[in-house]
Amino acid sequence: LALAYASIGLVSCDSPLGPDNDGVARLEATPPALLMVAGETRHVTIRVLAQDGRSLADRRPYFSTQDPTKATVSQTGIVT
């Protein structure tokens, strides 16, 4: 099973309803990509950044998956 961030939707910050329009310019994922095999568990961390590059530590990403039969992701970034 190969998994890339295209499969995990980093939809927005704090809300499952859509993009954040309050100063979030981009999200940086660590690691930037995942390659996993069935049964493996990995942790993804996300930095939320403002337009000027400041870290917005009070903002949390909302994680989701496009296909939960292939991968699941918790709101703390645990991918299985």
Side-chain angles (χ1 to χ4, degrees):
L1 168 68
L3 174 69
Y5 286 124
S7 297
I8 301 172
L10 300 175
V11 175
S12 65
C13 291
D14 295 325
S15 172
L17 303 177
D20 182 329
N21 294 322
D22 291 330
V24 174
R26 70 182 189 275
L27 303 174
E28 288 184 355
T30 303
L34 291 175
L35 182 61
M36 299 175 68
V37 296
E40 189 175 3
T41 298
R42 301 281 298 273
H43 184 243
V44 176
T45 58
I46 303 296
R47 283 186 61 211
V48 180
L49 301 169
Q51 184 71 32
D52 62 5
R54 286 178 300 114
S55 178
L56 301 174
D58 63 329
R59 307 308 288 273
R60 296 175 312 171
Y62 175 78
F63 292 92
S64 67
T65 181
Q66 292 177 350
D67 188 346
T69 64
K70 293 183 180 176
T72 61
V73 60
S74 72
Q75 291 309 304
T76 59
I78 304 298
V79 181
T80 56

